Amino acid sequence: MIELKDLQLLTALTRHQHFAKAAEACNMSQPAFSMRIRGLEDKLGLSIVRRGNRFQGLTAEGQMIVERARSILDDAKALNQEIAAARGEVTGTLIVGVVPTATSYAAQLIDRMHQAHPRVLVRLEVTTSLNIQQRLYDGTLDVGVTYSDSVGRDDMSVQHLYDEAYVLFASEQLLEGHGPDISWQAAAQLPLSLLEPQMQNRRILDRIFSDLSLRPEIVSEASGFMASIVMARAGSVATILPRALIEALGPLEGTRALKLIEPEPSWPICLASIERQPELTTIRALKGVIAATAP
Protein backbone atom coordinates (compact mmCIF):
# COMPACT_ATOMS: atom_id res chain seq x y z
CA MET A 1 0.00 0.00 0.00
CA ILE A 2 1.16 3.52 -0.75
CA GLU A 3 1.59 5.56 2.43
CA LEU A 4 0.36 9.15 2.81
CA LYS A 5 3.92 10.16 3.65
CA ASP A 6 5.06 8.97 0.22
CA LEU A 7 2.39 11.10 -1.45
CA GLN A 8 3.36 14.11 0.65
CA LEU A 9 7.00 13.78 -0.40
CA LEU A 10 6.08 13.38 -4.05
CA THR A 11 3.85 16.48 -4.08
CA ALA A 12 6.65 18.44 -2.34
CA LEU A 13 9.07 17.37 -5.07
CA THR A 14 6.60 18.48 -7.72
CA ARG A 15 6.17 21.85 -6.02
CA HIS A 16 9.88 22.61 -5.51
CA GLN A 17 11.21 20.91 -8.68
CA HIS A 18 14.40 20.18 -6.74
CA PHE A 19 15.34 17.24 -4.50
CA ALA A 20 17.33 19.26 -1.94
CA LYS A 21 14.68 21.99 -1.59
CA ALA A 22 11.87 19.43 -1.32
CA ALA A 23 13.81 17.47 1.29
CA GLU A 24 14.40 20.62 3.32
CA ALA A 25 10.71 21.52 3.15
CA CYS A 26 9.87 18.04 4.47
CA ASN A 27 12.49 18.23 7.26
CA MET A 28 14.50 15.37 5.79
CA SER A 29 18.04 14.93 4.54
CA GLN A 30 18.35 14.76 0.76
CA PRO A 31 19.68 11.15 0.77
CA ALA A 32 16.76 10.00 2.94
CA PHE A 33 14.29 11.86 0.76
CA SER A 34 15.71 10.42 -2.47
CA MET A 35 15.77 6.94 -0.97
CA ARG A 36 12.09 7.25 -0.02
CA ILE A 37 11.14 8.29 -3.56
CA ARG A 38 13.23 5.44 -5.00
CA GLY A 39 11.54 3.05 -2.59
CA LEU A 40 8.12 4.18 -3.82
CA GLU A 41 9.19 3.51 -7.41
CA ASP A 42 10.40 0.03 -6.45
CA LYS A 43 7.15 -0.65 -4.60
CA LEU A 44 5.06 0.35 -7.62
CA GLY A 45 7.37 -1.18 -10.20
CA LEU A 46 7.56 1.95 -12.37
CA SER A 47 9.56 5.14 -12.81
CA ILE A 48 8.02 8.26 -11.29
CA VAL A 49 10.84 10.78 -11.69
CA ARG A 50 12.83 11.59 -14.84
CA ARG A 51 16.39 11.79 -13.63
CA GLY A 52 19.57 13.32 -14.97
CA ASN A 53 22.21 15.52 -13.36
CA ARG A 54 19.24 17.34 -11.80
CA PHE A 55 15.50 16.90 -11.40
CA GLN A 56 13.94 16.86 -14.88
CA GLY A 57 10.27 16.44 -14.01
CA LEU A 58 7.88 13.54 -13.62
CA THR A 59 7.14 10.70 -15.97
CA ALA A 60 3.58 10.38 -17.30
CA GLU A 61 2.92 7.78 -14.60
CA GLY A 62 4.40 10.09 -11.98
CA GLN A 63 2.19 12.97 -13.06
CA MET A 64 -0.89 10.74 -12.84
CA ILE A 65 0.05 9.69 -9.31
CA VAL A 66 0.61 13.31 -8.22
CA GLU A 67 -2.79 14.39 -9.55
CA ARG A 68 -4.48 11.62 -7.59
CA ALA A 69 -2.23 12.24 -4.57
CA ARG A 70 -3.42 15.83 -4.18
CA SER A 71 -7.02 14.69 -3.99
CA ILE A 72 -6.16 11.92 -1.52
CA LEU A 73 -4.18 14.27 0.73
CA ASP A 74 -7.03 16.82 0.64
CA ASP A 75 -9.49 14.11 1.66
CA ALA A 76 -7.21 12.92 4.47
CA LYS A 77 -6.86 16.47 5.79
CA ALA A 78 -10.61 17.01 5.59
CA LEU A 79 -11.24 13.73 7.43
CA ASN A 80 -8.90 14.65 10.28
CA GLN A 81 -10.61 18.04 10.64
CA GLU A 82 -14.11 16.52 10.51
CA ILE A 83 -13.18 14.06 13.25
CA ALA A 84 -11.97 16.93 15.42
CA ALA A 85 -15.13 18.91 14.61
CA ALA A 86 -17.25 15.95 15.73
CA ARG A 87 -15.60 16.34 19.16
CA GLY A 88 -16.57 20.01 19.17
CA GLU A 89 -13.08 21.23 18.24
CA VAL A 90 -11.80 23.32 15.36
CA THR A 91 -8.17 22.34 14.97
CA GLY A 92 -5.54 21.81 12.32
CA THR A 93 -3.25 23.89 10.12
CA LEU A 94 -4.61 26.51 7.73
CA ILE A 95 -2.18 27.65 5.03
CA VAL A 96 -2.98 31.13 3.72
CA GLY A 97 -1.32 32.71 0.70
CA VAL A 98 -1.51 36.51 0.62
CA VAL A 99 -0.38 39.16 -1.85
CA PRO A 100 2.01 41.73 -0.29
CA THR A 101 -0.51 44.57 -0.42
CA ALA A 102 -2.99 42.59 1.72
CA THR A 103 -0.50 41.49 4.40
CA SER A 104 -1.77 43.90 7.05
CA TYR A 105 -5.38 42.85 6.49
CA ALA A 106 -4.40 39.18 6.59
CA ALA A 107 -2.44 39.66 9.83
CA GLN A 108 -5.46 41.25 11.51
CA LEU A 109 -7.67 38.45 10.18
CA ILE A 110 -5.33 35.80 11.55
CA ASP A 111 -5.34 37.51 14.93
CA ARG A 112 -9.16 37.38 14.99
CA MET A 113 -8.99 33.74 13.89
CA HIS A 114 -6.67 32.93 16.78
CA GLN A 115 -9.01 34.60 19.26
CA ALA A 116 -11.98 32.60 17.95
CA HIS A 117 -10.20 29.28 17.33
CA PRO A 118 -6.95 29.11 19.34
CA ARG A 119 -6.23 25.51 18.33
CA VAL A 120 -5.92 26.35 14.64
CA LEU A 121 -2.37 27.06 13.48
CA VAL A 122 -2.41 29.58 10.63
CA ARG A 123 0.61 29.69 8.35
CA LEU A 124 0.82 32.93 6.36
CA GLU A 125 2.85 32.90 3.14
CA VAL A 126 3.36 36.20 1.30
CA THR A 127 3.67 35.65 -2.45
CA THR A 128 2.43 36.76 -5.86
CA SER A 129 -1.15 36.51 -7.08
CA LEU A 130 -0.06 34.09 -9.84
CA ASN A 131 1.65 31.81 -7.33
CA ILE A 132 -1.43 31.88 -5.09
CA GLN A 133 -3.63 30.76 -7.98
CA GLN A 134 -1.25 27.94 -8.95
CA ARG A 135 -0.86 26.70 -5.38
CA LEU A 136 -4.59 26.72 -4.71
CA TYR A 137 -4.95 24.41 -7.69
CA ASP A 138 -2.17 22.05 -6.60
CA GLY A 139 -3.40 21.93 -3.01
CA THR A 140 -0.38 23.50 -1.27
CA LEU A 141 -2.46 26.50 -0.14
CA ASP A 142 -5.86 26.24 1.55
CA VAL A 143 -7.00 29.81 0.85
CA GLY A 144 -5.62 32.93 -0.77
CA VAL A 145 -6.10 36.61 0.04
CA THR A 146 -5.58 38.02 -3.42
CA TYR A 147 -6.88 40.23 -6.21
CA SER A 148 -10.31 39.15 -7.43
CA ASP A 149 -9.34 39.58 -11.08
CA SER A 150 -6.46 37.11 -10.68
CA VAL A 151 -8.77 34.23 -9.74
CA GLY A 152 -9.79 31.92 -12.59
CA ARG A 153 -11.69 28.67 -13.12
CA ASP A 154 -15.27 27.90 -12.25
CA ASP A 155 -14.44 25.61 -9.32
CA MET A 156 -13.07 28.48 -7.23
CA SER A 157 -14.99 29.96 -4.29
CA VAL A 158 -14.52 33.75 -4.10
CA GLN A 159 -15.58 36.00 -1.20
CA HIS A 160 -15.09 39.77 -1.46
CA LEU A 161 -13.13 41.25 1.45
CA TYR A 162 -12.46 44.93 0.71
CA ASP A 163 -11.39 47.33 -2.03
CA GLU A 164 -7.72 48.25 -2.17
CA ALA A 165 -7.07 52.00 -2.45
CA TYR A 166 -3.74 53.86 -2.45
CA VAL A 167 -1.86 56.58 -0.61
CA LEU A 168 1.47 58.27 -1.18
CA PHE A 169 3.79 57.83 1.82
CA ALA A 170 6.86 60.02 2.36
CA SER A 171 8.68 62.21 4.84
CA GLU A 172 7.14 65.50 5.90
CA GLN A 173 10.13 67.28 4.36
CA LEU A 174 9.62 65.68 0.94
CA LEU A 175 5.89 66.50 1.03
CA GLU A 176 6.28 70.07 2.27
CA GLY A 177 3.66 72.33 0.73
CA HIS A 178 1.21 69.52 -0.12
CA GLY A 179 -2.25 69.24 1.44
CA PRO A 180 -4.00 66.02 2.46
CA ASP A 181 -4.31 64.89 -1.18
CA ILE A 182 -1.91 64.52 -4.06
CA SER A 183 -2.55 63.82 -7.74
CA TRP A 184 -0.92 60.94 -9.56
CA GLN A 185 0.71 63.52 -11.81
CA ALA A 186 2.38 65.21 -8.82
CA ALA A 187 3.36 61.83 -7.38
CA ALA A 188 5.09 60.94 -10.64
CA GLN A 189 7.43 63.90 -10.14
CA LEU A 190 8.81 62.45 -6.90
CA PRO A 191 11.53 59.78 -6.61
CA LEU A 192 9.58 56.55 -6.01
CA SER A 193 10.34 53.17 -4.47
CA LEU A 194 7.82 50.53 -5.62
CA LEU A 195 7.31 46.79 -5.67
CA GLU A 196 9.00 44.69 -8.35
CA PRO A 197 7.37 44.58 -11.82
CA GLN A 198 6.15 40.96 -11.49
CA MET A 199 3.95 41.90 -8.52
CA GLN A 200 0.34 42.62 -9.44
CA ASN A 201 0.27 45.78 -7.32
CA ARG A 202 3.15 47.14 -9.41
CA ARG A 203 1.34 46.19 -12.62
CA ILE A 204 -1.71 48.08 -11.36
CA LEU A 205 0.35 51.19 -10.58
CA ASP A 206 2.15 50.99 -13.93
CA ARG A 207 -1.24 50.79 -15.66
CA ILE A 208 -2.51 53.87 -13.81
CA PHE A 209 0.58 55.90 -14.71
CA SER A 210 0.42 54.68 -18.31
CA ASP A 211 -3.26 55.57 -18.67
CA LEU A 212 -2.36 59.09 -17.54
CA SER A 213 0.63 59.22 -19.95
CA LEU A 214 2.99 59.63 -16.99
CA ARG A 215 6.54 58.33 -16.65
CA PRO A 216 7.35 58.25 -12.93
CA GLU A 217 10.88 58.42 -11.57
CA ILE A 218 11.39 54.96 -10.05
CA VAL A 219 14.67 54.81 -8.14
CA SER A 220 14.30 51.43 -6.39
CA GLU A 221 12.24 48.24 -6.44
CA ALA A 222 11.65 45.59 -3.78
CA SER A 223 9.71 42.36 -3.25
CA GLY A 224 8.00 43.80 -0.17
CA PHE A 225 7.04 47.12 1.36
CA MET A 226 9.43 47.29 4.32
CA ALA A 227 12.46 48.56 2.38
CA SER A 228 10.38 51.26 0.69
CA ILE A 229 8.86 52.36 4.00
CA VAL A 230 12.30 52.64 5.63
CA MET A 231 13.67 54.64 2.70
CA ALA A 232 10.61 56.89 2.68
CA ARG A 233 10.98 57.62 6.39
CA ALA A 234 14.62 58.54 5.78
CA GLY A 235 13.40 61.18 3.32
CA SER A 236 15.11 60.03 0.12
CA VAL A 237 12.05 58.62 -1.68
CA ALA A 238 8.28 58.40 -1.61
CA THR A 239 6.33 55.17 -2.01
CA ILE A 240 2.78 54.19 -2.89
CA LEU A 241 1.11 51.95 -0.32
CA PRO A 242 -2.29 50.33 0.16
CA ARG A 243 -4.44 52.46 2.45
CA ALA A 244 -5.13 49.36 4.61
CA LEU A 245 -1.41 49.01 5.36
CA ILE A 246 -1.05 52.62 6.52
CA GLU A 247 -4.18 52.33 8.66
CA ALA A 248 -2.75 49.22 10.31
CA LEU A 249 0.65 50.82 10.98
CA GLY A 250 -0.78 54.04 12.40
CA PRO A 251 1.07 57.37 12.45
CA LEU A 252 4.83 57.20 11.90
CA GLU A 253 6.77 60.17 13.25
CA GLY A 254 8.13 62.50 10.61
CA THR A 255 6.02 61.08 7.78
CA ARG A 256 2.72 61.76 6.01
CA ALA A 257 0.31 59.64 3.97
CA LEU A 258 -1.56 61.56 1.28
CA LYS A 259 -4.64 60.30 -0.51
CA LEU A 260 -3.95 59.77 -4.21
CA ILE A 261 -6.53 61.48 -6.42
CA GLU A 262 -7.25 62.26 -10.05
CA PRO A 263 -8.18 59.43 -10.38
CA GLU A 264 -9.08 57.45 -7.22
CA PRO A 265 -8.84 53.83 -8.39
CA SER A 266 -9.51 50.77 -6.27
CA TRP A 267 -9.09 47.02 -6.82
CA PRO A 268 -11.17 44.32 -5.08
CA ILE A 269 -9.39 41.92 -2.72
CA CYS A 270 -11.01 38.55 -2.10
CA LEU A 271 -10.69 35.31 -0.17
CA ALA A 272 -10.24 32.52 -2.72
CA SER A 273 -10.36 28.76 -2.22
CA ILE A 274 -11.07 25.66 -4.27
CA GLU A 275 -14.67 24.51 -3.82
CA ARG A 276 -14.71 21.28 -1.80
CA GLN A 277 -17.48 19.10 -0.48
CA PRO A 278 -17.28 18.97 2.42
CA GLU A 279 -15.38 22.21 3.00
CA LEU A 280 -12.40 22.05 5.34
CA THR A 281 -13.53 22.98 8.85
CA THR A 282 -10.60 25.43 9.15
CA ILE A 283 -11.72 27.28 6.01
CA ARG A 284 -15.32 27.27 7.22
CA ALA A 285 -14.15 28.71 10.54
CA LEU A 286 -12.14 31.43 8.79
CA LYS A 287 -15.17 32.43 6.71
CA GLY A 288 -17.19 32.58 9.91
CA VAL A 289 -14.66 34.97 11.46
CA ILE A 290 -14.83 37.18 8.35
CA ALA A 291 -18.64 37.19 8.42
CA ALA A 292 -18.70 38.05 12.15
CA THR A 293 -16.59 41.17 11.62
CA ALA A 294 -18.08 42.34 8.32
CA PRO A 295 -19.54 45.88 8.41
Side-chain angles (χ1 to χ4, degrees):
M1 294 291 292
I2 300 176
E3 298 180 22
L4 288 179
K5 181 66 174 179
D6 293 328
L7 300 182
Q8 291 168 342
L9 299 185
L10 190 56
T11 56
L13 180 58
T14 305
R15 181 167 73 254
H16 292 283
Q17 301 286 300
H18 193 280
F19 272 93
K21 292 179 180 178
E24 182 181 3
C26 295
N27 297 314
M28 297 177 66
S29 67
Q30 182 176 342
F33 184 95
S34 299
M35 188 177 300
R36 185 81 183 235
I37 297 294
R38 181 72 75 178
L40 177 60
E41 291 178 315
D42 292 342
K43 185 186 300 183
L44 298 176
L46 52 80
S47 295
I48 295 175
V49 179
R50 291 190 287 111
R51 291 178 173 84
N53 293 331
R54 62 184 65 185
F55 177 79
Q56 296 181 350
L58 301 178
T59 63
E61 295 83 359
Q63 188 60 47
M64 177 271 295
I65 293 171
V66 167
E67 290 173 359
R68 291 286 293 135
R70 288 165 179 160
S71 177
I72 292 168
L73 292 171
D74 275 352
D75 288 343
K77 184 174 184 177
L79 177 60
N80 285 331
Q81 292 190 7
E82 288 296 324
I83 291 171
R87 298 194 299 264
E89 304 172 347
V90 179
T91 186
T93 300
L94 180 67
I95 307 176
V96 181
V98 56
V99 290
T101 58
T103 305
S104 59
Y105 173 89
Q108 293 170 327
L109 178 59
I110 289 171
D111 185 59
R112 296 198 301 269
M113 181 72 172
H114 174 70
Q115 298 302 319
H117 305 286
R119 296 197 62 190
V120 174
L121 173 64
V122 182
R123 183 181 305 151
L124 185 67
E125 300 189 15
V126 181
T127 185
T128 65
S129 57
L130 177 60
N131 194 38
I132 288 174
Q133 180 171 280
Q134 292 172 338
R135 292 186 58 191
L136 286 172
Y137 293 154
D138 69 24
T140 57
L141 288 177
D142 295 319
V143 297
V145 179
T146 185
Y147 293 95
S148 297
D149 62 3
S150 71
V151 178
R153 285 181 38 168
D154 295 334
D155 57 355
M156 191 78 76
S157 170
V158 177
Q159 179 178 356
H160 180 264
L161 297 175
Y162 66 96
D163 291 325
E164 179 178 279
Y166 308 104
V167 298
L168 184 88
F169 176 80
S171 68
E172 292 177 345
Q173 181 178 5
L174 194 62
L175 296 179
E176 187 176 358
H178 287 282
D181 304 330
I182 188 170
S183 69
W184 289 87
Q185 183 173 3
Q189 307 303 313
L190 299 172
L192 295 175
S193 177
L194 302 177
L195 291 183
E196 295 172 344
Q198 67 267 28
M199 297 291 188
Q200 186 160 350
N201 168 263
R202 174 62 183 278
R203 295 197 296 271
I204 290 171
L205 299 184
D206 286 347
R207 191 183 318 157
I208 295 170
F209 283 124
S210 177
D211 288 345
L212 296 171
S213 300
L214 298 173
R215 299 185 64 180
E217 181 188 358
I218 300 169
V219 298
S220 70
E221 299 172 335
S223 60
F225 288 116
M226 183 55 68
S228 296
I229 291 173
V230 170
M231 292 173 65
R233 289 195 70 185
S236 57
V237 300
T239 188
I240 297 175
L241 302 176
R243 184 175 60 199
L245 175 57
I246 284 296
E247 291 174 348
L249 290 175
L252 296 176
E253 184 178 358
T255 65
R256 295 176 64 196
L258 309 186
K259 180 181 179 181
L260 277 158
I261 59 172
E262 300 174 9
E264 298 180 33
S266 64
W267 263 259
I269 300 293
C270 72
L271 183 78
S273 61
I274 297 293
E275 290 185 343
R276 296 184 180 93
Q277 292 299 329
E279 189 172 51
L280 291 176
T281 56
T282 48
I283 296 178
R284 195 159 60 242
L286 180 66
K287 289 182 177 180
V289 169
I290 293 170
T293 55

